Amino acid sequence: MRKILLFLPLVMFLALGGVFYSQLGKDVNYMPSALVGKSVPDFTLVSLFDDELVTNADLPSTPYLINFWGTWCPACHIEHPFLNRLAQSGITIIGIDHKDQQALALQWLEEKGNPYQQVLMDEIGHFGLDMGITGAPETFVVDSNGVVAYRHQGEINEQNWPTMKEYLQ
Amino acid sequence: MKPIIHSVLLLMAVLAWPVSAQEQIVFSSELNQTRYQALVTELRCPKCQNQNVADSESSIALDLRRLVFEMIEQGKTDQEIIDYMVARYGAFVLYRPEHSSATFLLWYGPFILLAVGVLAFVLIIVSNRKRRRTPQ
C-alpha cells in the first residue's frame, strides 16, 4: 500500500501534463459565444441600399448566415471572394456593415460583387454588441427556427466552412 | 530665445493632442467616474483576452467603454451593467467570476485542497509520534 502511494506524485504529474498538452495549439482568441442556442436579438437597422428600416420580422425563415464586415477590416477583403462563392452556391447571407460609411460600403460591393441577400448598416456598432461580436469578420449561423446555432470568429474559408455548414439547417 | 521656447511649447501641445482627444468623456459626477474606472478594469476585453476593457485599444473595447459610460450616465446600477455584458459575452467577460455552483471549485477549490493538505500533515505527524512512543 505504501509503495503505491509513492507513485502518487508521478500520477498527478502525468495527469496535469495530459491536461496542459491537450490545451496546446488551441486558438487563443477563441471565445465561447453567449448567443448560441438563443434567437437573434431584436434590432431595427437601416438597409444599405434603400435606407429602409429593417427588423427581425424581415429576416429569412430558412437557415442563413449573418456576416459582420466592414470596409475598414483587412480580413474581410480576404473573406469576400469566398462569400461570393457561397452566395453562388445558394447560401443566404445577411451582411451587417459594421461601423462603416455607406458610400464606402456601396463602392466595395460595386467593385467586389455583392454576396448578401440584404445588407444592414450598424453604424455605431450597437447591434454588434447585442450579438456579442469580438471583431470583424465574424459570422453567425442561424437555423430555420431563427436560433443562433454557431458563431465563427475571423474569416470563413475552405478549411472552416465544412464545420459551419453542418450547423446550417 | 523666447520664440524658440514658444514654438517648442506649441509643438508639445500639438503632439499631445491625439492623446487627449482620444476619449473625451465628461462625467456628471465624481462617483460616476469612479464607478466607470472600476467597471472597465473589471471587464475583460473579448478581443484581446489578456487585457481588460480599460487597457485595450481594440475597436470592441472602445465600444464597450462607451457603452459602460452611457449606461452609468443613464443611471444603471453596476449589477445591471455587468448583467448586460454577461448576457452578450458570457461569464467570460468578468475578471472576477460570480459565485455560483459552476464556479464553486474555482473559488473554493484551493481552500479545500489546503484543508486536505493540513489534514494529511496532521495525520502524518500524529502517526509518527505514536510510532516513536511505542517501543521498537
Side-chain angles (χ1 to χ4, degrees), chain B residues 5-18:
Chain B
I5 292 176
H6 276 171
S7 53
V8 166
L9 283 176
L10 185 69
L11 185 70
M12 283 163 74
V14 168
L15 288 178
W17 175 251

Side-chain angles (χ1 to χ4, degrees), chain A residues 116-130:
Chain A
Y116 305 110
Q117 192 207 52
Q118 234 180 120
V119 183
L120 310 176
M121 285 188 295
D122 183 22
E123 278 165 311
I124 42 174
H126 262 199
F127 183 56
L129 288 182
D130 282 347

Side-chain angles (χ1 to χ4, degrees), chain B:
Chain B
M1 195 61 202
K2 220 172 182 190
I4 297 174
I5 292 176
H6 276 171
S7 53
V8 166
L9 283 176
L10 185 69
L11 185 70
M12 283 163 74
V14 168
L15 288 178
W17 175 251
V19 180
S20 57
Q22 211 165 45
E23 257 173 283
Q24 284 201 332
I25 45 177
V26 183
F27 291 91
S28 60
S29 73
E30 198 117 315
L31 174 69
N32 280 0
Q33 184 163 6
T34 316
R35 283 177 55 206
Y36 171 84
Q37 297 296 358
L39 274 169
V40 291
T41 47
E42 285 281 311
L43 291 169
R44 184 173 178 185
C45 168
K47 182 73 185 170
C48 23
Q49 300 178 0
N50 290 334
Q51 278 184 312
N52 57 25
V53 166
D55 290 338
S56 173
E57 276 306 313
S58 75
S59 120
I60 199 73
L62 283 169
D63 284 2
L64 289 177
R65 279 203 291 267
R66 201 199 55 221
L67 195 78
V68 169
F69 167 69
E70 285 170 6
M71 289 179 85
I72 285 178
E73 291 295 321
Q74 282 163 17
K76 297 264 165 60
T77 65
D78 286 6
Q79 192 56 47
E80 275 171 333
I81 297 171
I82 284 174
D83 289 345
Y84 178 95
M85 294 292 172
V86 171
R88 279 153 188 79
Y89 288 99
F92 199 88
V93 288
L94 303 177
Y95 262 127
R96 259 194 308 175
E98 281 163 338
H99 295 253
S100 72
S101 54
T103 57
F104 177 82
L105 272 186
L106 187 68
W107 278 103
Y108 304 106
F111 298 107
I112 295 170
L113 281 180
L114 183 70
V116 169
V118 168
L119 194 70
F121 182 73
V122 169
L123 283 179
I124 288 168
I125 297 269
V126 167
S127 72
N128 277 357
R129 197 168 284 174
K130 251 187 220 156
R131 212 184 304 158
R132 227 175 290 151
R133 274 203 208 122
T134 48
Q136 300 287 316

